Amino acid sequence: MQLHITCIPGDGIGPEIVTEAKKVLDKVASVYGHEMIYKDILMGGASIDVHGIPLTDEAIADAKSADAVLMGSIGGDTTTSPWYQLPPEKRPEAGLLKIRKALNLFANLRPAILYEELAEACPLRKDISEAGFDMMIMRELTGGLYFGERRTVEENGIRKAIDTLTYDENEIRRIAIKGFDIAMKRRKKVTSVDKANVLDSSRLWRKVVEEVAKDYPEVTLEHMLVDNCAMQLVKDPAQFDVILTENMFGDILSDEASMVTGSIGMLASASLNDSKFGLYEPSHGSAPDIAGKDIANPIATVLSAAMMLRYSFDLDREADAIEAAVKSVLKKNYRTGDIMSEGCTKVGCKEMGDLLAAEIV
Ligand code: IPM
Ligand code: MG
């Protein structure tokens, strides 16, 4: 099959990790008889340097014309990079928000898994980490505070900033349906996270999620307040299967969950719309401090490519092969610097890509 993939190498370590993900995809293509057709586009700082803006309309059109988008990472050092001297709407992150909205990528899936091989890196107490965990954070991605009306004004000499958190029931329903669908393929539990003791948007969220739950009698639904959820993620992460939540809560909780795995360099993500189209990217950032040194961990991007094969192309066998390759390389004790532990062999970004590709046979 022909796979039309738009790639966004982006900034920092982005270009290096995307190169390794392509290496692995190319191996998959040759072993399983597919054809990968890539087109690179600029986004973030890389686009600012060439076009003065973080995402052009042409780049959006290129992304739309593909079957899926594979992204590295965008952004630079916020204190030293000249990109952050620009007005907010021209900074690298604005490109990411723009592409999410333009492609209607409302469902963000962020798995947080404790890898057996990397259990030592987990910062939690041993009696907690021993239980293991494997959760999927489903974050609403195109609504809420991120996309509400905002402005900064001055009233009687006092500066005032306003952000608004809006959700309508349709926005809540479509992400809830995705959340329950995914739960059906997992351990059939949804924890819907909100702040219903304070916010109207959360009270509506809870109502709509309960309505959707009626169509999924096999799924256990529980509600949890976001502050409690932040606690439970470190107290007892094994309790979670699917965490379903709005944009801002999901941003914060997914960082917490990934940190708790101890291996953020391993975590993939998918952002999906109503069709099979998706944007796939590692959960970590652009790590400008280690860019260009061939020491970044490409595994999260490689696993994002596996999610792409699974969700956008229905190529489950091929996705399984990539995931098995990752496990096998870890079992053979190869590690990049971020997940290094005693007795293992330290490898660079390129070598990790070679090792992963070699496992696909
Ligand atoms: C993320 C990032 C983005 C977000 C930033 C870069 C705008 O933190 O993908 O989680 O807040 O959504
Ligand atoms: Mg974030």
Side-chain angles (χ1 to χ4, degrees), residues 184-222:
M184 282 299 289
K185 294 190 185 161
R186 296 174 48 99
R187 301 193 306 280
K188 300 192 171 68
K189 180 177 173 191
V190 170
T191 305
S192 174
V193 174
D194 61 38
K195 189 72 186 170
N197 53 349
V198 179
L199 302 176
D200 261 23
S201 55
S202 282
R203 287 188 272 268
L204 180 62
W205 181 278
R206 218 174 248 224
K207 270 196 198 121
V208 176
V209 169
E210 274 174 5
E211 287 161 18
V212 171
K214 291 199 179 108
D215 293 330
Y216 298 84
E218 285 176 58
V219 178
T220 307
L221 168 67
E222 66 175 18

Side-chain angles (χ1 to χ4, degrees), residues 74-93:
I74 54 125
D77 185 322
T78 51
T79 51
T80 58
S81 164
W83 300 329
Y84 296 91
Q85 304 301 319
L86 297 166
E89 68 282 2
K90 289 200 168 159
R91 292 180 194 169
E93 287 72 12

Side-chain angles (χ1 to χ4, degrees), residues 74 93 96-97 100 108 110 139 141 146 247 251 254-255 281:
I74 54 125
E93 287 72 12
L96 184 56
L97 298 184
R100 285 174 181 167
N108 183 214
R110 298 189 168 182
R139 168 187 177 194
L141 202 59
Y146 277 64
N247 204 346
D251 178 44
S254 62
D255 263 27
E281 58 171 318

Side-chain angles (χ1 to χ4, degrees), residues 82-154:
W83 300 329
Y84 296 91
Q85 304 301 319
L86 297 166
E89 68 282 2
K90 289 200 168 159
R91 292 180 194 169
E93 287 72 12
L96 184 56
L97 298 184
K98 192 169 165 191
I99 202 165
R100 285 174 181 167
K101 198 70 173 175
L103 303 179
N104 197 24
L105 304 171
F106 64 86
N108 183 214
L109 281 61
R110 298 189 168 182
I113 301 163
L114 184 67
Y115 283 86
E116 227 180 279
E117 297 83 1
L118 304 178
E120 268 176 44
C122 174
L124 298 178
R125 239 179 26 226
K126 204 153 184 258
D127 59 308
I128 301 174
S129 66
E130 261 166 10
F133 57 85
D134 175 354
M135 71 186 93
M136 179 70 87
I137 301 197
M138 297 274 315
R139 168 187 177 194
E140 198 292 327
L141 202 59
T142 52
L145 273 174
Y146 277 64
F147 293 95
E149 237 177 86
R150 74 173 104 257
R151 62 189 186 280
T152 305
V153 293
E154 196 165 315

Side-chain angles (χ1 to χ4, degrees), residues 47-341:
S47 173
I48 295 173
D49 289 346
V50 176
H51 301 293
I53 52 170
L55 185 69
T56 61
D57 290 341
E58 292 73 41
I60 293 177
D62 280 339
K64 273 191 181 155
S65 70
D67 302 315
V69 178
L70 181 65
M71 185 184 142
S73 49
I74 54 125
D77 185 322
T78 51
T79 51
T80 58
S81 164
W83 300 329
Y84 296 91
Q85 304 301 319
L86 297 166
E89 68 282 2
K90 289 200 168 159
R91 292 180 194 169
E93 287 72 12
L96 184 56
L97 298 184
K98 192 169 165 191
I99 202 165
R100 285 174 181 167
K101 198 70 173 175
L103 303 179
N104 197 24
L105 304 171
F106 64 86
N108 183 214
L109 281 61
R110 298 189 168 182
I113 301 163
L114 184 67
Y115 283 86
E116 227 180 279
E117 297 83 1
L118 304 178
E120 268 176 44
C122 174
L124 298 178
R125 239 179 26 226
K126 204 153 184 258
D127 59 308
I128 301 174
S129 66
E130 261 166 10
F133 57 85
D134 175 354
M135 71 186 93
M136 179 70 87
I137 301 197
M138 297 274 315
R139 168 187 177 194
E140 198 292 327
L141 202 59
T142 52
L145 273 174
Y146 277 64
F147 293 95
E149 237 177 86
R150 74 173 104 257
R151 62 189 186 280
T152 305
V153 293
E154 196 165 315
E155 284 172 3
N156 307 321
I158 310 278
R159 286 170 298 162
K160 182 164 129 183
I162 300 139
D163 293 287
T164 48
L165 201 182
T166 312
Y167 273 107
D168 71 37
E169 59 177 306
N170 296 327
E171 291 173 288
I172 302 170
R173 192 171 296 110
R174 64 182 184 178
I175 181 79
I177 290 171
K178 281 247 191 234
F180 279 89
D181 282 343
I182 297 230
M184 282 299 289
K185 294 190 185 161
R186 296 174 48 99
R187 301 193 306 280
K188 300 192 171 68
K189 180 177 173 191
V190 170
T191 305
S192 174
V193 174
D194 61 38
K195 189 72 186 170
N197 53 349
V198 179
L199 302 176
D200 261 23
S201 55
S202 282
R203 287 188 272 268
L204 180 62
W205 181 278
R206 218 174 248 224
K207 270 196 198 121
V208 176
V209 169
E210 274 174 5
E211 287 161 18
V212 171
K214 291 199 179 108
D215 293 330
Y216 298 84
E218 285 176 58
V219 178
T220 307
L221 168 67
E222 66 175 18
H223 301 284
M224 193 178 275
L225 295 174
V226 61
D227 45 353
N228 184 28
C229 183
M231 278 193 333
Q232 297 298 329
L233 276 171
V234 288
K235 191 170 166 243
D236 176 20
Q239 70 182 286
F240 295 112
D241 179 17
V242 173
I243 290 182
L244 173 65
T245 194
E246 65 93 45
N247 204 346
M248 181 80 162
F249 298 159
D251 178 44
I252 298 166
L253 294 176
S254 62
D255 263 27
E256 187 190 1
S258 63
M259 188 61 223
V260 162
T261 68
S263 41
I264 184 161
M266 303 279 303
L267 301 178
S269 84
S271 304
L272 308 175
N273 67 13
D274 258 331
S275 68
K276 285 269 162 206
F277 187 89
L279 180 148
Y280 301 83
E281 58 171 318
S283 281
H284 60 70
S286 60
D289 52 321
I290 60 162
K293 296 184 178 162
D294 191 33
I295 56 173
N297 184 352
I299 295 180
T301 317
V302 169
L303 289 172
S304 301
M307 283 183 100
M308 174 180 81
L309 296 181
R310 199 182 293 288
Y311 290 105
S312 284
F313 297 101
D314 287 320
L315 296 175
D316 284 329
R317 206 173 39 139
E318 290 80 345
D320 288 345
I322 294 182
E323 287 165 6
V326 169
K327 288 224 161 94
S328 171
V329 166
L330 292 177
K331 273 228 162 66
K332 291 179 181 167
N333 287 333
Y334 291 108
R335 303 279 191 274
T336 44
D338 57 313
I339 52 173
M340 184 62 190
S341 61

